[in-house]
Amino acid sequence: MKQNYTIDSHTVLQRNPNQLFTMIDDEVVMLNIKHEEYLNLNSHASYIWQQLENPHSFGELTDQLCSVYNVEKTLCIKDTLDFINDLVEKDIIQIINEKTP
């Protein structure tokens, strides 16, 4: 059963530094050892992955996505939250308490 994490605009997210991945053209391909699966992220999901190289709040991330992809804020938040919850559940993205320089 999929768990929904408590993520709001102030929640700070970052990549799991142990996650194996590579870029192929403009898309991310990764191997999730914990769940024994390959993931191929489309260009939008790859953009999120690239942004989370450094910690970002969920609010900052959705603001960037709305700006770059010219998408309506409510839809962006919903779709991004679903995606982030999935990656947090798979330990691909981590929820952290604060930004680090």
Side-chain angles (χ1 to χ4, degrees), residues 15-16 19 30 32 39 49 87 90-94:
R15 293 179 186 173
N16 178 338
Q19 180 58 54
M30 59 178 65
N32 184 311
L39 294 142
W49 177 255
L87 294 188
K90 294 177 180 179
D91 196 32
I92 293 171
I93 290 177
Q94 301 172 328

Side-chain angles (χ1 to χ4, degrees), residues 60-72:
E60 291 170 335
L61 185 60
T62 54
D63 286 347
Q64 289 173 354
L65 288 165
C66 287
S67 176
V68 169
Y69 292 103
N70 195 25
V71 65
E72 197 271 324

Side-chain angles (χ1 to χ4, degrees), residues 2-34:
K2 187 173 182 176
Q3 178 178 350
N4 283 323
Y5 297 88
T6 304
I7 296 174
D8 63 24
S9 64
H10 302 289
T11 303
V12 178
L13 306 161
Q14 73 176 15
R15 293 179 186 173
N16 178 338
N18 299 318
Q19 180 58 54
L20 303 173
F21 75 97
T22 191
M23 295 293 297
I24 298 177
D25 296 322
D26 65 342
E27 295 184 352
V28 173
V29 177
M30 59 178 65
L31 171 62
N32 184 311
I33 295 174
K34 182 177 182 180

Side-chain angles (χ1 to χ4, degrees), residues 11-17 45-58 60-62 64 80 83-84 87-88 92-94 96:
T11 303
V12 178
L13 306 161
Q14 73 176 15
R15 293 179 186 173
N16 178 338
S46 294
Y47 178 82
I48 293 170
W49 177 255
Q50 291 169 333
Q51 295 309 301
L52 293 178
E53 180 176 4
N54 298 307
H56 284 283
S57 72
F58 184 75
E60 291 170 335
L61 185 60
T62 54
Q64 289 173 354
T80 305
F83 176 66
I84 293 294
L87 294 188
V88 169
I92 293 171
I93 290 177
Q94 301 172 328
I96 60 173

